[in-house]
Amino acid sequence: GVESVVTAAIKSTKNGGSVCLVGMGKPTCTLPLLDASIREVDLNGVFRYRNTYPKCIELLSTKKVDLDPLITHRFEFTYDSVMDAFETCRTGRDGAIKCMINIKDTP
């Protein structure tokens, strides 16, 4: 939903590709619609992730998308580590994109 992210998505999508708009941005924003139109990039909105999980599961299970590069930080499931994880996400410290908290079964 952030204007700069939607702009980057439009510009980085292949000709004839599709951009899925997820999230709530500003009610009005400036986007490179001429670029999207000339290159036949489709813009699709989704509200509250409706009907997206089956497609996401399919893309992940068939390895058509690799999310590993987005996971920039991993944390253990302890109080201090979890608090550090949230602070890292909040501030974007050390280039944080996605922080994972590893929850393991313990005896």
Coordinates of all heavy atoms in Angstrom, one line a residue:
G1 N 0.8 -1.2 0.0 CA 0.0 0.0 0.0 C 0.8 1.3 0.0 O 0.3 2.3 -0.3
V2 N 2.1 1.2 0.3 CA 3.0 2.4 0.3 C 3.3 2.8 -1.1 O 3.7 2.0 -2.0 CB 4.3 2.1 1.1 CG1 5.2 3.3 1.1 CG2 3.9 1.7 2.5
E3 N 3.1 4.1 -1.4 CA 3.3 4.6 -2.8 C 4.6 4.2 -3.4 O 4.7 3.7 -4.6 CB 3.1 6.1 -2.7 CG 3.2 6.8 -4.1 CD 2.9 8.2 -4.0 OE1 2.0 8.7 -3.3 OE2 3.6 9.0 -4.7
S4 N 5.7 4.3 -2.7 CA 7.0 4.0 -3.3 C 7.1 2.5 -3.6 O 7.8 2.2 -4.6 CB 8.1 4.5 -2.3 OG 8.0 3.8 -1.1
V5 N 6.5 1.7 -2.8 CA 6.6 0.2 -3.0 C 5.7 -0.1 -4.2 O 6.2 -0.9 -5.1 CB 6.1 -0.5 -1.8 CG1 6.0 -2.0 -2.0 CG2 7.1 -0.3 -0.6
V6 N 4.6 0.4 -4.4 CA 3.7 0.2 -5.5 C 4.4 0.7 -6.8 O 4.4 0.0 -7.8 CB 2.3 0.8 -5.4 CG1 1.5 0.6 -6.6 CG2 1.6 0.3 -4.1
T7 N 5.0 1.8 -6.7 CA 5.8 2.3 -7.9 C 6.9 1.4 -8.3 O 7.1 1.0 -9.4 CB 6.3 3.7 -7.6 OG1 5.3 4.6 -7.4 CG2 7.2 4.2 -8.7
A8 N 7.7 0.9 -7.3 CA 8.7 0.0 -7.6 C 8.2 -1.3 -8.1 O 8.8 -1.9 -9.0 CB 9.5 -0.3 -6.3
A9 N 7.1 -1.8 -7.6 CA 6.5 -3.0 -8.1 C 6.1 -2.9 -9.6 O 6.3 -3.8 -10.4 CB 5.3 -3.4 -7.3
I10 N 5.4 -1.8 -9.9 CA 5.1 -1.5 -11.3 C 6.3 -1.5 -12.2 O 6.3 -2.2 -13.3 CB 4.2 -0.2 -11.4 CG1 2.9 -0.4 -10.8 CG2 4.1 0.2 -12.9 CD1 2.1 0.9 -10.6
K11 N 7.3 -0.8 -11.8 CA 8.5 -0.6 -12.6 C 9.3 -1.9 -12.8 O 10.0 -2.1 -13.8 CB 9.4 0.5 -12.1 CG 8.7 1.9 -12.3 CD 9.6 3.0 -11.8 CE 9.0 4.3 -12.0 NZ 9.6 5.0 -13.1
S12 N 9.2 -2.8 -11.8 CA 10.0 -4.0 -11.8 C 9.3 -5.2 -12.4 O 9.8 -6.3 -12.5 CB 10.6 -4.3 -10.4 OG 9.5 -4.6 -9.5
T13 N 8.0 -5.1 -12.6 CA 7.2 -6.2 -13.2 C 7.4 -6.3 -14.7 O 7.5 -5.3 -15.4 CB 5.7 -5.9 -12.9 OG1 5.5 -5.9 -11.5 CG2 4.8 -7.0 -13.4
K14 N 7.5 -7.5 -15.1 CA 7.7 -7.8 -16.6 C 6.5 -7.3 -17.4 O 5.4 -7.2 -16.8 CB 8.0 -9.2 -16.8 CG 6.9 -10.2 -16.6 CD 7.2 -11.6 -16.9 CE 6.0 -12.5 -16.7 NZ 6.3 -13.9 -17.0
N15 N 6.8 -7.1 -18.6 CA 5.7 -6.7 -19.5 C 4.6 -7.7 -19.5 O 4.9 -8.9 -19.6 CB 6.2 -6.5 -21.0 CG 7.1 -5.3 -21.1 OD1 7.3 -4.5 -20.2 ND2 7.8 -5.2 -22.3
G16 N 3.3 -7.3 -19.4 CA 2.2 -8.3 -19.3 C 2.1 -8.9 -18.0 O 1.2 -9.8 -17.8
G17 N 2.9 -8.5 -17.0 CA 2.8 -9.1 -15.7 C 1.7 -8.5 -14.8 O 0.9 -7.8 -15.3
S18 N 1.7 -8.9 -13.6 CA 0.6 -8.5 -12.7 C 1.2 -8.0 -11.4 O 2.1 -8.6 -10.8 CB -0.3 -9.6 -12.5 OG -1.4 -9.2 -11.6
V19 N 0.7 -6.9 -10.8 CA 1.1 -6.4 -9.5 C -0.2 -6.6 -8.6 O -1.3 -6.1 -9.0 CB 1.5 -4.9 -9.5 CG1 1.7 -4.4 -8.2 CG2 2.7 -4.8 -10.4
C20 N 0.0 -7.2 -7.4 CA -1.0 -7.4 -6.5 C -0.9 -6.3 -5.4 O 0.1 -6.3 -4.7 CB -1.0 -8.8 -5.9 SG -2.4 -9.1 -4.8
L21 N -1.9 -5.5 -5.2 CA -1.8 -4.4 -4.2 C -2.4 -5.0 -2.9 O -3.6 -5.3 -2.9 CB -2.6 -3.2 -4.7 CG -2.2 -2.6 -6.1 CD1 -3.2 -1.5 -6.5 CD2 -0.8 -2.1 -6.0
V22 N -1.6 -5.1 -1.9 CA -2.0 -5.6 -0.6 C -1.7 -4.6 0.4 O -0.6 -4.0 0.4 CB -1.2 -6.9 -0.3 CG1 -1.7 -7.5 1.1 CG2 -1.5 -8.0 -1.4
G23 N -2.6 -4.4 1.3 CA -2.4 -3.4 2.4 C -3.1 -2.1 2.2 O -3.7 -1.9 1.1
M24 N -3.1 -1.3 3.2 CA -3.8 0.0 3.1 C -2.8 1.1 3.0 O -2.1 1.4 4.0 CB -4.7 0.1 4.4 CG -5.7 -1.0 4.6 SD -7.0 -0.9 3.4 CE -7.9 0.5 4.1
G25 N -2.8 1.8 1.9 CA -2.0 2.9 1.8 C -2.8 4.2 1.9 O -3.9 4.2 2.5
K26 N -2.3 5.3 1.4 CA -3.0 6.5 1.4 C -4.2 6.4 0.5 O -4.2 5.7 -0.5 CB -2.1 7.7 1.0 CG -1.0 8.0 1.9 CD -0.1 9.1 1.3 CE 1.1 9.3 2.2 NZ 2.0 10.3 1.6
P27 N -5.3 7.2 0.8 CA -6.5 7.1 -0.1 C -6.1 7.6 -1.6 O -6.7 7.1 -2.5 CB -7.5 8.1 0.5 CG -7.0 8.3 1.9 CD -5.5 8.0 1.9
T28 N -5.2 8.5 -1.7 CA -4.8 9.0 -3.0 C -3.3 9.0 -3.1 O -2.6 9.4 -2.2 CB -5.3 10.4 -3.2 OG1 -6.8 10.4 -3.0 CG2 -5.0 10.9 -4.6
C29 N -2.8 8.5 -4.3 CA -1.3 8.6 -4.4 C -1.0 8.7 -5.9 O -1.8 8.5 -6.8 CB -0.6 7.3 -3.9 SG -1.2 5.8 -4.5
T30 N 0.2 9.1 -6.2 CA 0.7 9.2 -7.6 C 1.5 8.0 -8.0 O 2.4 7.6 -7.3 CB 1.7 10.4 -7.7 OG1 0.9 11.6 -7.2 CG2 2.2 10.6 -9.1
L31 N 1.1 7.3 -9.1 CA 1.7 6.1 -9.6 C 2.0 6.2 -11.1 O 1.3 7.0 -11.8 CB 0.7 4.9 -9.3 CG 0.4 4.6 -7.9 CD1 -0.7 3.5 -7.9 CD2 1.6 4.2 -7.1
P32 N 3.0 5.5 -11.5 CA 3.3 5.5 -13.0 C 2.3 4.7 -13.8 O 2.7 3.7 -14.4 CB 4.7 4.9 -13.0 CG 4.7 4.0 -11.8 CD 3.9 4.6 -10.8
L33 N 1.1 5.2 -13.9 CA 0.1 4.4 -14.6 C 0.4 4.3 -16.1 O 0.0 3.3 -16.8 CB -1.3 5.1 -14.4 CG -1.8 4.9 -13.0 CD1 -3.2 5.6 -12.9 CD2 -1.9 3.5 -12.6
L34 N 1.0 5.4 -16.7 CA 1.3 5.3 -18.1 C 2.3 4.1 -18.4 O 2.1 3.4 -19.3 CB 1.9 6.6 -18.6 CG 2.2 6.7 -20.1 CD1 0.9 6.4 -21.0 CD2 2.8 8.0 -20.5
D35 N 3.3 4.0 -17.5 CA 4.2 2.9 -17.6 C 3.5 1.6 -17.5 O 3.8 0.7 -18.3 CB 5.3 3.0 -16.5 CG 6.3 1.9 -16.5 OD1 6.7 1.5 -17.7 OD2 6.8 1.5 -15.5
A36 N 2.6 1.4 -16.6 CA 1.9 0.2 -16.4 C 1.0 -0.1 -17.6 O 0.9 -1.2 -18.1 CB 1.0 0.3 -15.1
S37 N 0.4 1.0 -18.1 CA -0.5 0.8 -19.3 C 0.2 0.4 -20.5 O -0.2 -0.5 -21.2 CB -1.3 2.1 -19.5 OG -2.2 2.0 -20.6
I38 N 1.3 1.1 -20.8 CA 2.1 0.9 -22.1 C 2.6 -0.6 -22.0 O 2.6 -1.2 -23.1 CB 3.2 1.9 -22.2 CG1 2.6 3.2 -22.6 CG2 4.2 1.4 -23.2 CD1 3.7 4.4 -22.5
R39 N 3.1 -1.0 -20.8 CA 3.6 -2.3 -20.7 C 2.6 -3.4 -20.4 O 2.9 -4.6 -20.2 CB 4.8 -2.3 -19.7 CG 5.9 -1.4 -20.2 CD 7.2 -1.5 -19.3 NE 6.9 -1.3 -17.9 CZ 6.9 -2.3 -17.0 NH1 7.2 -3.6 -17.3 NH2 6.6 -2.1 -15.7
E40 N 1.3 -3.0 -20.3 CA 0.2 -3.9 -20.1 C 0.4 -4.7 -18.7 O 0.2 -5.9 -18.6 CB 0.0 -4.9 -21.2 CG -0.4 -4.2 -22.5 CD -0.6 -5.2 -23.7 OE1 -0.4 -6.4 -23.5 OE2 -1.1 -4.7 -24.7
V41 N 0.8 -3.9 -17.7 CA 1.0 -4.5 -16.4 C -0.4 -4.3 -15.7 O -1.0 -3.2 -15.6 CB 2.0 -3.7 -15.6 CG1 2.0 -4.2 -14.1 CG2 3.4 -3.9 -16.2
D42 N -0.9 -5.4 -15.2 CA -2.2 -5.4 -14.5 C -2.0 -5.1 -13.1 O -1.1 -5.6 -12.4 CB -2.9 -6.8 -14.6 CG -3.3 -7.2 -16.0 OD1 -3.7 -6.2 -16.8 OD2 -3.4 -8.4 -16.3
L43 N -2.9 -4.3 -12.5 CA -2.9 -3.9 -11.1 C -4.1 -4.6 -10.5 O -5.3 -4.3 -10.9 CB -3.0 -2.4 -10.9 CG -1.8 -1.6 -11.5 CD1 -2.1 -0.1 -11.3 CD2 -0.5 -2.0 -10.9
N44 N -3.9 -5.4 -9.5 CA -5.0 -6.2 -8.8 C -5.0 -5.8 -7.4 O -3.9 -6.0 -6.7 CB -4.8 -7.7 -9.0 CG -4.9 -8.1 -10.5 OD1 -5.8 -7.8 -11.2 ND2 -3.8 -8.6 -11.0
G45 N -6.1 -5.4 -6.8 CA -6.2 -5.2 -5.4 C -6.8 -6.4 -4.7 O -7.6 -7.1 -5.2
V46 N -6.4 -6.5 -3.4 CA -7.0 -7.6 -2.6 C -7.1 -7.0 -1.2 O -6.3 -6.2 -0.7 CB -6.1 -8.8 -2.6 CG1 -4.7 -8.5 -2.0 CG2 -6.7 -9.9 -1.8
F47 N -8.3 -7.3 -0.6 CA -8.6 -6.7 0.7 C -8.6 -7.8 1.7 O -9.3 -8.8 1.6 CB -9.9 -6.0 0.7 CG -10.2 -5.2 2.0 CD1 -9.4 -4.1 2.3 CD2 -11.1 -5.7 2.8 CE1 -9.7 -3.4 3.5 CE2 -11.4 -5.0 4.0 CZ -10.6 -3.9 4.3
R48 N -7.8 -7.7 2.7 CA -7.7 -8.7 3.8 C -7.3 -10.1 3.4 O -7.7 -11.1 3.9 CB -9.0 -8.8 4.6 CG -9.5 -7.5 5.2 CD -8.7 -7.2 6.4 NE -9.3 -6.0 7.0 CZ -8.5 -5.0 7.5 NH1 -7.2 -5.1 7.5 NH2 -9.1 -4.0 8.0
Y49 N -6.5 -10.1 2.3 CA -5.9 -11.4 1.8 C -6.9 -12.4 1.4 O -6.6 -13.6 1.4 CB -4.9 -12.0 2.9 CG -3.9 -11.0 3.4 CD1 -4.1 -10.4 4.6 CD2 -2.8 -10.7 2.7 CE1 -3.2 -9.4 5.1 CE2 -1.9 -9.8 3.1 CZ -2.1 -9.2 4.4 OH -1.2 -8.3 4.8
R50 N -8.1 -11.9 1.0 CA -9.1 -12.8 0.5 C -8.7 -13.7 -0.6 O -8.2 -13.3 -1.6 CB -10.3 -12.0 0.1 CG -11.5 -12.8 -0.3 CD -12.7 -11.9 -0.6 NE -13.8 -12.7 -1.1 CZ -14.1 -12.9 -2.3 NH1 -13.4 -12.4 -3.3 NH2 -15.1 -13.7 -2.7
N51 N -8.8 -15.0 -0.4 CA -8.5 -16.0 -1.5 C -7.0 -16.1 -1.9 O -6.7 -16.6 -3.0 CB -9.4 -15.9 -2.7 CG -10.8 -16.0 -2.4 OD1 -11.2 -16.8 -1.6 ND2 -11.7 -15.1 -2.9
T52 N -6.1 -15.5 -1.1 CA -4.7 -15.5 -1.5 C -3.9 -16.7 -1.0 O -2.9 -17.1 -1.6 CB -4.0 -14.2 -1.0 OG1 -4.1 -14.2 0.4 CG2 -4.6 -13.0 -1.7
Y53 N -4.3 -17.3 0.1 CA -3.6 -18.4 0.7 C -3.4 -19.6 -0.2 O -2.3 -20.1 -0.3 CB -4.1 -18.8 2.1 CG -3.9 -17.7 3.1 CD1 -5.0 -16.9 3.6 CD2 -2.6 -17.4 3.6 CE1 -4.8 -15.9 4.5 CE2 -2.4 -16.4 4.5 CZ -3.5 -15.6 4.9 OH -3.3 -14.6 5.8
P54 N -4.4 -20.1 -0.9 CA -4.2 -21.2 -1.7 C -3.2 -21.0 -2.8 O -2.3 -21.8 -3.1 CB -5.6 -21.5 -2.3 CG -6.6 -21.0 -1.3 CD -5.9 -19.7 -0.8
K55 N -3.2 -19.8 -3.4 CA -2.2 -19.5 -4.5 C -0.8 -19.4 -3.9 O 0.1 -19.8 -4.5 CB -2.6 -18.2 -5.2 CG -1.7 -17.8 -6.3 CD -1.9 -18.8 -7.4 CE -1.1 -18.4 -8.7 NZ -1.2 -19.4 -9.7
C56 N -0.7 -18.7 -2.7 CA 0.6 -18.6 -2.1 C 1.2 -20.0 -1.7 O 2.3 -20.3 -2.0 CB 0.5 -17.8 -0.8 SG 0.2 -16.1 -1.1
I57 N 0.3 -20.9 -1.2 CA 0.8 -22.2 -0.9 C 1.2 -23.0 -2.1 O 2.3 -23.6 -2.2 CB -0.3 -23.0 -0.1 CG1 -0.6 -22.4 1.3 CG2 0.0 -24.5 -0.1 CD1 -1.8 -22.9 2.0
E58 N 0.5 -22.8 -3.2 CA 0.9 -23.4 -4.5 C 2.2 -22.9 -5.0 O 3.1 -23.7 -5.4 CB -0.2 -23.1 -5.6 CG 0.2 -23.6 -6.9 CD -0.7 -23.0 -8.1 OE1 -1.8 -22.6 -7.8 OE2 -0.2 -23.0 -9.2
L59 N 2.4 -21.6 -5.0 CA 3.7 -21.0 -5.4 C 4.8 -21.4 -4.6 O 5.9 -21.7 -5.1 CB 3.6 -19.5 -5.4 CG 2.6 -18.8 -6.4 CD1 2.5 -17.4 -6.2 CD2 3.1 -19.1 -7.8
L60 N 4.6 -21.6 -3.3 CA 5.7 -22.0 -2.4 C 6.0 -23.5 -2.6 O 7.2 -23.9 -2.7 CB 5.4 -21.7 -0.9 CG 5.4 -20.3 -0.5 CD1 4.8 -20.1 0.8 CD2 6.8 -19.7 -0.6
S61 N 5.0 -24.3 -2.7 CA 5.2 -25.8 -2.8 C 5.8 -26.2 -4.1 O 6.5 -27.2 -4.2 CB 3.8 -26.5 -2.5 OG 2.9 -26.3 -3.6
T62 N 5.5 -25.4 -5.2 CA 6.1 -25.7 -6.5 C 7.4 -25.0 -6.7 O 8.0 -25.1 -7.7 CB 5.1 -25.3 -7.6 OG1 4.8 -23.9 -7.5 CG2 3.9 -26.2 -7.5
K63 N 7.9 -24.3 -5.6 CA 9.2 -23.5 -5.6 C 9.2 -22.5 -6.8 O 10.3 -22.2 -7.3 CB 10.3 -24.5 -5.7 CG 10.3 -25.5 -4.5 CD 11.6 -26.2 -4.4 CE 11.6 -27.2 -3.3 NZ 11.4 -26.8 -2.0
K64 N 8.1 -21.9 -7.1 CA 8.1 -20.9 -8.1 C 8.5 -19.5 -7.5 O 8.8 -18.6 -8.3 CB 6.7 -20.7 -8.8 CG 6.3 -21.9 -9.6 CD 5.0 -21.7 -10.3 CE 4.7 -22.9 -11.2 NZ 3.4 -22.8 -11.9
V65 N 8.5 -19.4 -6.2 CA 9.0 -18.3 -5.5 C 9.9 -18.7 -4.4 O 9.7 -19.8 -3.8 CB 7.9 -17.3 -4.9 CG1 7.0 -16.7 -6.0 CG2 7.0 -18.1 -4.0
D66 N 10.9 -18.0 -4.1 CA 11.9 -18.3 -3.1 C 11.8 -17.1 -2.1 O 12.3 -16.0 -2.4 CB 13.3 -18.4 -3.6 CG 14.3 -18.8 -2.6 OD1 13.9 -19.1 -1.4 OD2 15.5 -18.7 -2.9
L67 N 11.3 -17.4 -0.9 CA 11.2 -16.3 0.1 C 12.4 -16.2 1.0 O 12.5 -15.2 1.8 CB 9.9 -16.5 1.0 CG 8.6 -16.5 0.2 CD1 7.4 -16.7 1.2 CD2 8.4 -15.2 -0.6
D68 N 13.3 -17.2 0.9 CA 14.5 -17.2 1.8 C 15.3 -15.9 1.8 O 15.7 -15.4 2.8 CB 15.4 -18.4 1.5 CG 14.8 -19.7 2.0 OD1 13.9 -19.6 2.9 OD2 15.2 -20.7 1.5
P69 N 15.5 -15.3 0.6 CA 16.2 -14.0 0.6 C 15.5 -12.9 1.4 O 16.2 -11.9 1.8 CB 16.3 -13.6 -0.8 CG 16.2 -14.9 -1.6 CD 15.2 -15.7 -0.7
L70 N 14.2 -13.0 1.6 CA 13.5 -11.9 2.4 C 13.7 -12.1 3.9 O 13.5 -11.1 4.6 CB 12.0 -12.0 2.0 CG 11.7 -11.7 0.6 CD1 10.2 -11.8 0.4 CD2 12.2 -10.3 0.2
I71 N 14.1 -13.3 4.3 CA 14.3 -13.5 5.8 C 15.7 -13.1 6.1 O 16.7 -13.8 5.8 CB 14.0 -15.0 6.2 CG1 12.6 -15.4 5.8 CG2 14.3 -15.2 7.7 CD1 12.3 -16.9 5.9
T72 N 15.8 -11.9 6.7 CA 17.1 -11.3 6.9 C 17.6 -11.6 8.3 O 18.8 -11.5 8.6 CB 17.1 -9.8 6.7 OG1 16.1 -9.2 7.5 CG2 16.8 -9.5 5.2
H73 N 16.7 -11.9 9.3 CA 17.1 -12.1 10.7 C 16.3 -13.3 11.2 O 15.2 -13.4 11.0 CB 16.9 -10.8 11.5 CG 17.7 -9.7 11.1 ND1 17.4 -9.0 9.9 CD2 18.7 -9.1 11.7 CE1 18.3 -8.0 9.8 NE2 19.1 -8.0 10.9
R74 N 17.0 -14.0 12.1 CA 16.4 -15.1 12.8 C 16.6 -15.0 14.3 O 17.8 -14.6 14.7 CB 16.8 -16.5 12.3 CG 16.4 -16.8 10.9 CD 16.9 -18.1 10.4 NE 16.6 -18.3 9.0 CZ 15.4 -18.8 8.6 NH1 14.5 -19.2 9.4 NH2 15.2 -19.0 7.3
F75 N 15.6 -15.3 15.1 CA 15.8 -15.1 16.6 C 15.2 -16.3 17.3 O 14.3 -17.0 16.8 CB 15.0 -13.9 17.0 CG 15.5 -12.6 16.5 CD1 15.0 -12.1 15.2 CD2 16.4 -11.8 17.1 CE1 15.5 -10.9 14.7 CE2 16.9 -10.6 16.6 CZ 16.4 -10.2 15.4
E76 N 15.8 -16.6 18.4 CA 15.3 -17.7 19.3 C 14.1 -17.3 20.1 O 13.8 -16.1 20.2 CB 16.4 -18.2 20.2 CG 17.6 -18.8 19.5 CD 17.2 -19.9 18.5 OE1 16.4 -20.8 18.9 OE2 17.7 -19.9 17.4
F77 N 13.4 -18.2 20.6 CA 12.1 -17.9 21.3 C 12.4 -17.8 22.8 O 12.1 -18.6 23.6 CB 11.1 -19.0 21.1 CG 9.7 -18.7 21.6 CD1 9.1 -17.6 21.2 CD2 9.1 -19.6 22.5 CE1 7.8 -17.3 21.6 CE2 7.9 -19.3 23.0 CZ 7.2 -18.2 22.6
T78 N 13.1 -16.7 23.2 CA 13.3 -16.3 24.5 C 12.8 -14.9 24.7 O 12.7 -14.2 23.7 CB 14.8 -16.4 24.9 OG1 15.5 -15.4 24.2 CG2 15.4 -17.7 24.7
Y79 N 12.6 -14.5 25.9 CA 12.0 -13.1 26.1 C 12.9 -12.1 25.5 O 12.5 -11.2 24.7 CB 11.8 -12.9 27.6 CG 11.3 -11.4 27.9 CD1 10.0 -11.1 27.7 CD2 12.2 -10.4 28.2 CE1 9.5 -9.8 27.9 CE2 11.8 -9.1 28.4 CZ 10.4 -8.8 28.3 OH 10.0 -7.6 28.5
D80 N 14.2 -12.1 25.8 CA 15.1 -11.1 25.4 C 15.3 -11.1 23.8 O 15.3 -10.1 23.2 CB 16.5 -11.2 26.0 CG 16.5 -10.8 27.5 OD1 15.7 -10.0 27.9 OD2 17.4 -11.3 28.2
S81 N 15.3 -12.3 23.3 CA 15.5 -12.4 21.8 C 14.2 -12.0 21.1 O 14.3 -11.3 20.0 CB 15.8 -13.9 21.5 OG 16.2 -14.0 20.1
V82 N 13.1 -12.3 21.6 CA 11.8 -11.9 21.0 C 11.7 -10.4 21.0 O 11.3 -9.7 20.1 CB 10.6 -12.6 21.7 CG1 9.3 -11.9 21.3 CG2 10.6 -14.0 21.3
M83 N 12.1 -9.8 22.2 CA 12.0 -8.3 22.3 C 13.0 -7.7 21.3 O 12.7 -6.7 20.6 CB 12.3 -7.8 23.7 CG 11.3 -8.3 24.7 SD 9.6 -7.9 24.3 CE 9.6 -6.1 24.6
D84 N 14.2 -8.3 21.1 CA 15.1 -7.8 20.1 C 14.6 -8.0 18.7 O 14.8 -7.1 17.9 CB 16.5 -8.6 20.3 CG 17.6 -8.0 19.5 OD1 17.6 -6.8 19.3 OD2 18.5 -8.8 19.0
A85 N 13.9 -9.0 18.5 CA 13.3 -9.3 17.1 C 12.3 -8.2 16.8 O 12.3 -7.6 15.7 CB 12.6 -10.6 17.1
F86 N 11.4 -7.8 17.7 CA 10.4 -6.8 17.5 C 11.1 -5.4 17.3 O 10.7 -4.6 16.4 CB 9.4 -6.7 18.6 CG 8.3 -7.8 18.4 CD1 8.3 -8.9 19.2 CD2 7.3 -7.7 17.5 CE1 7.4 -9.9 19.1 CE2 6.4 -8.7 17.3 CZ 6.4 -9.8 18.1
E87 N 12.1 -5.2 18.0 CA 12.8 -3.9 17.9 C 13.6 -3.8 16.6 O 13.6 -2.8 15.9 CB 13.8 -3.7 19.1 CG 14.5 -2.4 19.1 CD 13.6 -1.2 19.3 OE1 12.4 -1.4 19.7 OE2 14.1 0.0 19.1
T88 N 14.1 -4.9 16.1 CA 14.8 -5.0 14.8 C 13.8 -4.7 13.7 O 14.1 -4.0 12.8 CB 15.5 -6.4 14.6 OG1 16.5 -6.5 15.7 CG2 16.2 -6.4 13.3
C89 N 12.6 -5.3 13.8 CA 11.6 -5.1 12.8 C 11.1 -3.7 12.8 O 11.0 -3.0 11.8 CB 10.4 -6.0 13.0 SG 10.7 -7.7 12.6
R90 N 10.9 -3.2 14.0 CA 10.4 -1.8 14.1 C 11.3 -0.8 13.6 O 10.9 0.2 12.9 CB 10.1 -1.5 15.6 CG 9.4 -0.1 15.8 CD 9.3 0.2 17.3 NE 10.5 0.5 18.0 CZ 11.1 1.7 17.9 NH1 10.6 2.6 17.1 NH2 12.3 1.9 18.5
T91 N 12.6 -0.9 13.8 CA 13.6 0.1 13.4 C 14.2 -0.2 12.0 O 14.8 0.7 11.4 CB 14.7 0.2 14.4 OG1 15.4 -1.1 14.5 CG2 14.1 0.6 15.8
G92 N 14.1 -1.5 11.5 CA 14.8 -1.8 10.3 C 16.3 -2.0 10.5 O 17.0 -1.9 9.5
R93 N 16.7 -2.2 11.7 CA 18.1 -2.3 12.0 C 18.8 -3.3 11.2 O 18.2 -4.4 10.9 CB 18.2 -2.6 13.5 CG 19.7 -2.7 14.0 CD 19.7 -3.0 15.5 NE 19.2 -4.3 15.8 CZ 18.5 -4.6 16.9 NH1 18.3 -3.6 17.8 NH2 18.1 -5.8 17.2
D94 N 20.0 -3.0 10.8 CA 20.9 -3.9 10.0 C 20.2 -4.4 8.7 O 20.4 -5.5 8.3 CB 21.3 -5.1 10.8 CG 22.1 -4.8 12.0 OD1 22.9 -3.8 12.0 OD2 21.9 -5.4 13.1
G95 N 19.3 -3.5 8.1 CA 18.7 -3.9 6.9 C 17.6 -4.9 7.0 O 17.3 -5.6 6.0
A96 N 16.9 -5.0 8.1 CA 15.9 -6.0 8.4 C 14.7 -5.8 7.4 O 14.2 -4.8 7.1 CB 15.4 -5.9 9.8
I97 N 14.4 -7.0 6.8 CA 13.2 -7.1 5.9 C 12.2 -7.9 6.6 O 11.1 -7.5 6.9 CB 13.6 -7.7 4.5 CG1 14.5 -6.8 3.8 CG2 12.3 -7.9 3.7 CD1 15.1 -7.3 2.5
K98 N 12.5 -9.1 6.9 CA 11.6 -10.1 7.6 C 12.4 -10.7 8.7 O 13.5 -11.3 8.5 CB 11.1 -11.1 6.6 CG 10.2 -12.1 7.2 CD 8.9 -11.6 7.7 CE 7.9 -11.5 6.6 NZ 6.5 -11.1 7.1
C99 N 11.9 -10.7 9.9 CA 12.5 -11.3 11.1 C 11.7 -12.5 11.5 O 10.4 -12.4 11.6 CB 12.5 -10.3 12.3 SG 13.5 -8.9 11.9
M100 N 12.3 -13.6 11.6 CA 11.7 -14.9 12.0 C 12.0 -15.2 13.4 O 13.2 -15.2 13.8 CB 12.1 -16.0 11.1 CG 11.7 -15.8 9.6 SD 10.0 -15.8 9.3 CE 9.5 -17.5 9.6
I101 N 11.0 -15.7 14.2 CA 11.3 -16.2 15.6 C 11.1 -17.7 15.5 O 10.0 -18.2 15.1 CB 10.3 -15.5 16.6 CG1 10.5 -14.0 16.6 CG2 10.5 -16.1 17.9 CD1 9.5 -13.2 17.4
N102 N 12.2 -18.4 15.8 CA 12.1 -19.8 15.8 C 11.5 -20.4 17.1 O 12.0 -20.2 18.1 CB 13.5 -20.4 15.6 CG 14.2 -20.0 14.3 OD1 13.5 -19.9 13.3 ND2 15.4 -19.6 14.3
I103 N 10.4 -21.1 16.9 CA 9.7 -21.7 18.0 C 10.0 -23.2 17.9 O 9.5 -23.9 16.9 CB 8.2 -21.4 18.1 CG1 8.1 -19.9 18.1 CG2 7.5 -22.1 19.2 CD1 6.6 -19.4 18.0
K104 N 10.7 -23.8 18.9 CA 11.0 -25.2 18.8 C 10.3 -25.9 20.0 O 10.1 -25.3 21.0 CB 12.5 -25.4 18.9 CG 13.3 -24.8 17.8 CD 14.8 -25.0 18.1 CE 15.5 -24.2 17.0 NZ 17.0 -24.2 17.3
D105 N 9.9 -27.2 19.7 CA 9.3 -28.0 20.8 C 10.4 -28.2 21.9 O 11.5 -28.6 21.5 CB 8.8 -29.3 20.3 CG 7.5 -29.1 19.5 OD1 6.8 -28.1 19.7 OD2 7.3 -29.9 18.6
T106 N 10.1 -28.0 23.1 CA 11.1 -28.3 24.1 C 10.5 -29.3 25.1 O 9.3 -29.2 25.4 CB 11.5 -27.0 24.9 OG1 10.4 -26.4 25.4 CG2 12.3 -26.1 24.0
P107 N 11.3 -30.2 25.6 CA 10.8 -31.2 26.5 C 10.4 -30.6 27.8 O 10.7 -29.6 28.2 CB 11.9 -32.2 26.7 CG 13.1 -31.6 26.1 CD 12.7 -30.4 25.3

